[in-house]
Structures are given as structure tokens and as C-alpha cells.
Amino acid sequence: METTKVAIVGMGTVGTGVARLLLDHGDRIARHAGRNLSLEQVVVRDLSKSRGAEVPTGLLSTDLKRITGDPEIKVVAQLVGGLNPARQIMRQLLESGKDVVTANKALLAEHGGELFDLARELGRSIAFEASVAGGVPIITNISQCLSANQIVSLSGILNGTSNFILSQMEKGNEYGEAVREAQRLGYAEADPTMDVDGSDAAQKLAILAHLAFGARVHWKDIPRVGIDRVHVDDIRYAGELGYRIKLLAVARLLDPGDSSQGLEVHVAPTLVRKGSPLAEVRGANNAISVVGDAVGRVFFHGLGAGQMPTASAVVSDMIDMAVGRTQLTFRTLQLWSDREAQVDACDHNNVMGRYYLRLQVDDNPGVLADVAGILGQHDISIASVIQHEAAEEGADQDKRQVALVIMTHASTEGDTRMAVQKIDRLPAVRPGTVRMQVMD
Ligand code: NAP
Ligand code: HSE
């Protein structure tokens, strides 16, 4: 049987999983690839760190030249996170003639154009299944299996850490503790701020929007709100109303028949009706609901973060590269190239949706009427209202505050935002009204 020599750069959570699969399951991989994948080098930053996989003596080093200088090594898994030095490492690997597999969505969302152009120029390929949704094979499905379709929309839970934290909060666990647990389990980024503020999901959505719609949208231009704004009270009220809160990443053609109308893209905590597939995604799982004009709705679900699920996607890409499949797809798809179909992001203010509002108001006569009046001025119709009696028995009536929860009928993002700004200026309302989209 032929052998393809491979290497790994970066042996943290994901790199360790990749090494374990290559070293412990070589026979299985050889059966699927029709060739052996021989791990020749593993480059790390700090040799003194203990690793969760037994790497044979002599393989581990801090010297990238041991990979770039060896023409026999054909495929490299680049598993260093962040932008620098990951970007330089990617460039050096491509320039030294390697085909590269990466899980680094931050790098692709920021410098995908440059790196894909370089790979094309050099006749090399980049594979990145693990960069979105970890172990869930969404990249291959969108770029290959659904290529007969015009994708109309995709809605996904793309950040495992956020979904894990929300699931923990639903069980009554505290936010900070849930973040620490996600870090301990290897789901979170080196800087978990990127997970909880919606940036990681926006980076993944930018990649999917490229693949599914040919959209050139930079992740920083995607309107995004993270779960760091979600309060346990909102989880409770959402539950009372029959919903769960999920961090949804959405890309949707405003008019499926006319892509010139633009693409709605956003990342935000969203109320999703209990029992619907996205609402029931728990823990570090990810899910993506894709609608294509020919196939209809298809749903992908599985672990979106963690060592072995992510390694599963990386090693599958390595096998595809060893076999030669990726090189063909890479050349054909022309990703991040000027030949991609173009669609622009639409003005987010015009996007229609239903909204959940939670206000903290003085428990006085006329307050609800004032709030309803402002919503009415902006053509926003109220679907339901919850106000529980104030808890503090005997407190001074004038000082009592209560939560007022309002579900609206469909209105535009711009109108709702403006109405909430006005509501927040009412003397009886404490500024900081919570506003979340509702997906029915
Ligand atoms: P990690 O645990 O922080 O590991 C990063 C590794 O990169 C470490 O082993 C580190 O070496 C190594 N490294 C850093 N700078 C280096 C350099 N200059 N030369 C060589 N090695 C260097 O990160 P991770 O969780 O494995 O994530 C890796 C990538 O996969 C990230 O882009 C991440 O976004 C993505 N990803 C992660 C997951 C997940 O569930 N964790 C899922 C999907 C995608 P030392 O160990 O020696 O410091
Ligand atoms: N930190 C990421 C997440 C890892 O939680 O989803 C997978 O990309």
C-alpha cells in the first residue's frame, strides 16, 4: 500500500485529537484512504508541555523547517489558533508545497481571500471542514452535496461554548461557572470572549455565507450580539412563553427569487420554540438548518467543539487530501475568488421579525399604556404581555419595580430598535430594555 507522509503544527486540544486518530487508528484510516497516512512531524511551541497523546520519540519539535524542508511531507494539519503566527505558518506551509488542512475559522474569516489566492497561485489546496461546526460535516455538504441548489437560508447554532453555557444556565447553573467548565472541557477558544460575544459564530457564518451564497461579507460587518447579554430571567421568561434561547447565526436571501435584494446576516440570542429541532440542541452540540430550492429543508446536528469531534473533521480532510479529492474540489469551487457569485448583505434595519422585549418598569398606573403607545407609533403590534405581581410585599408602592415582558408581532429591526430607544427614555422605565428576535 502507498504511504502519504503527513504532519501537524499545533498540538493543543485539536492537534492532540488528530495525533491520537492518526497514531491509534492507522489501520482504519488506511482502509478508508486506500493508503497509509504516516505522521512524520509534530511542531509545537513549548516542548516541555505534557500532551494527551503518546507521540513517538523524535517526532515532536519546535522547528517548522522540519516540515517545510521535507518535500516528502505532502499534507499538514495547521492547528494553531488566532491570526498570528497562524497566518505566517499557513503561508510558509503553502509556499513549501504542502496542502494544508485547518480548523482555524478566525484566520479564514479574516485572511481567507489572501490564503486561498496564494494556494491557487501555487497549485496547492486548503481544506477547512473543522473550521465550522467542529465534527458536523457542513462545509462538504454545502459546497458539494447541495451544489445543485440555490441555498435560500441557513440558520445555525455555530458556537458550542455558547450553547453549552445556555444549556447549563437553563439547568440553573451560574454563568461564570459554565464558562469555566467549557474551558476545562476544551470547547472554548483560547480567549473565550470570542465565543460569548458572538464573534466566533460570526466568523463561521461569514465562511458559510461565502460557500452557500458567494457573499463577500466580512465577519466584523455581521450584526452580532452574544450570550454575554443573556440574563437568567430571560431564559426563565422564554421558558414560560414556550421558547428556549439559542445563539443563532442566520444567513437568508431576502427574496429567494432575486438575490439582488441582498442577504440578511446576523448572529444573536434568539427565542426558538420548544420542540423545534434547533431548540432541542443541547450542550456543546451545533446544528444547522439549511433550505435549498430543490432539496427543501435539511438539518445537520452533532458536536461542534471538543477534541475528538473536531479531530474527526480534520483527519477526514487529511484523508481526502491524501486521496486527491480535495485538490479537485478546491480547483473547481474557486472559493474566495473573484469568480464567486456575488450577493451583498442587505440593510439590517429592514429585516422583519418578531421580538421579545423585557423592560424593568415602575409598578404605577399608565406605564403599560405609555409603552404600548410608543410601540403603536412605530407600527409594532403586541402579541402577548407578561407582568407578575411585584415580589416585595408592603414596599412603598411608588418605588416598586416589576418586569414587563412583551412579545410583538412582526416588525422591522429598525422600527423595533428605535421604539426601544424611546421606551428607555420614559421616566418609569429603567434603561437597558432587553430585545431579542423570536424565530417561529
Ligand atoms: P489550543 O488548545 O490553544 O492549541 C493550540 C496549539 O497551537 C498549542 O498546542 C500551541 O502549542 C500551538 N502553537 C501556538 N503557537 C505556535 C507556534 N508558533 N508554533 C507551533 N505551535 C504553536 O487550541 P485548539 O482548541 O486546539 O484549537 C486550534 C484551532 O482549532 C483554533 O483555530 C480553534 O479555533 C480551532 N477549533 C477548535 C475547536 C475546539 O473544540 N477546541 C473546534 C473547532 C475548531 P503549545 O501547546 O506548545 O503551547
Ligand atoms: N470555541 C468554538 C466553539 C470551538 O465553542 O464552538 C469550535 O469552533
Side-chain angles (χ1 to χ4, degrees):
M1 198 181 261
E2 277 182 56
T3 294
T4 300
K5 295 187 175 179
V6 304
I8 300 173
V9 186
M11 201 181 174
T13 304
V14 183
T16 300
V18 171
R20 283 175 57 193
L21 279 181
L22 290 172
L23 295 168
D24 300 347
H25 299 285
D27 289 351
R28 181 172 77 201
I29 289 168
R31 223 176 28 253
H32 292 158
R35 57 185 56 228
N36 291 309
L37 265 63
S38 165
L39 182 60
E40 300 287 310
Q41 294 288 336
V42 179
V43 171
V44 295
R45 181 173 44 185
D46 177 359
L47 274 181
S48 67
K49 270 193 195 171
S50 67
R51 312 279 158 184
E54 287 287 320
V55 180
T57 332
L59 254 60
L60 211 58
S61 82
T62 56
D63 186 4
L64 190 66
K65 288 200 198 75
R66 284 173 65 167
I67 298 177
T68 54
D70 182 347
E72 293 293 308
I73 296 176
K74 302 291 182 200
V75 177
V76 182
Q78 194 294 108
L79 302 169
V80 174
L83 299 184
N84 295 305
R87 181 184 179 187
Q88 289 78 5
I89 293 172
M90 279 289 277
R91 290 191 66 98
Q92 287 174 56
L93 292 171
L94 292 167
E95 279 159 359
S96 65
K98 315 300 178 201
D99 288 326
V100 185
V101 175
T102 185
N104 189 332
K105 63 268 158 163
L107 184 62
L108 295 183
E110 196 67 47
H111 299 297
E114 167 200 319
L115 295 168
F116 278 64
D117 278 349
L118 179 67
R120 269 189 291 270
E121 226 170 82
L122 297 165
R124 304 271 49 96
S125 312
I126 299 173
F128 51 102
E129 183 60 70
S131 66
V132 179
V136 183
I138 188 66
I139 302 280
T140 310
N141 271 293
I142 287 187
S143 53
Q144 294 176 46
C145 312
L146 296 175
S147 55
N149 289 262
Q150 165 67 64
I151 305 291
V152 173
S153 72
L154 56 88
S155 317
I157 293 171
L158 299 181
N159 184 264
T161 301
S162 294
N163 203 60
F164 175 82
I165 294 169
L166 289 173
S167 303
Q168 292 290 97
M169 286 170 78
E170 264 186 40
K171 288 190 224 158
N173 296 332
E174 192 249 322
Y175 177 86
E177 184 50 43
V179 176
R180 284 188 289 280
E181 183 67 355
Q183 286 178 295
R184 193 184 66 75
L185 293 167
Y187 304 147
E189 296 300 304
D191 173 6
T193 316
M194 302 287 281
D195 291 297
V196 297
D197 73 0
S199 299
D200 177 83
Q203 289 169 342
K204 293 167 177 167
L205 184 62
I207 294 172
L208 291 185
H210 249 287
L211 292 173
F213 303 98
R216 284 193 169 248
V217 48
H218 192 275
W219 72 271
K220 282 189 181 151
D221 296 329
I222 295 179
R224 62 190 188 282
V225 181
I227 61 151
D228 44 359
R229 309 266 188 90
V230 176
H231 194 273
V232 71
D233 288 349
D234 297 311
I235 293 177
R236 212 183 49 244
Y237 281 117
E240 204 173 309
L241 288 157
Y243 294 85
R244 294 188 206 286
I245 297 178
K246 295 289 172 192
L247 185 72
L248 284 197
V250 175
R252 184 172 66 93
L253 286 177
L254 271 199
D255 179 349
D258 178 9
S259 58
S260 70
Q261 296 297 309
L263 187 72
E264 175 202 348
V265 275
H266 73 259
V267 172
T270 305
L271 273 73
V272 185
R273 196 172 278 286
K274 281 184 194 169
S276 67
L278 282 170
E280 302 312 321
V281 176
R282 300 298 169 83
N285 281 292
N286 280 191
I288 304 106
S289 171
V290 182
V291 178
D293 63 350
V295 73
R297 186 178 295 278
V298 276
F299 192 73
F300 303 91
H301 179 220
L303 274 169
Q307 184 167 89
M308 296 320 289
T310 312
S312 152
V314 173
V315 174
S316 300
D317 272 350
M318 293 173 90
I319 292 173
D320 278 357
M321 279 195 157
V323 170
R325 279 192 288 261
T326 309
Q327 290 82 341
L328 195 61
T329 316
F330 188 79
R331 272 201 303 278
T332 321
L333 284 178
Q334 294 286 315
L335 296 168
W336 269 275
S337 77
D338 294 337
R339 273 181 41 191
E340 272 185 303
Q342 297 282 312
V343 52
D344 294 321
C346 68
D347 182 353
H348 196 52
N349 283 318
N350 300 334
V351 167
M352 295 288 291
R354 293 185 60 213
Y355 286 87
Y356 158 98
L357 308 176
R358 178 171 60 81
L359 302 75
Q360 199 64 22
V361 301
D362 292 343
D363 191 11
N364 289 336
V367 175
L368 183 54
D370 289 345
V371 170
I374 292 177
L375 292 175
Q377 285 162 24
H378 287 271
D379 252 353
I380 301 168
S381 170
I382 294 174
S384 69
V385 177
I386 300 179
Q387 183 192 318
H388 296 305
E389 288 189 25
E392 314 132 59
E393 284 295 322
D396 182 348
Q397 169 88 34
D398 289 342
K399 293 189 181 135
R400 276 210 313 233
Q401 284 219 323
V402 284
L404 187 60
V405 172
I406 298 176
M407 296 287 273
T408 74
H409 287 297
S411 59
T412 68
E413 165 75 20
D415 277 335
T416 319
R417 189 165 29 77
M418 274 195 298
V420 167
Q421 280 167 4
K422 280 193 198 164
I423 287 169
D424 272 353
R425 288 199 290 270
L426 288 172
V429 176
R430 194 196 292 169
T433 291
V434 173
R435 178 172 63 94
M436 289 187 221
Q437 262 204 28
V438 180
M439 186 202 231
D440 281 311

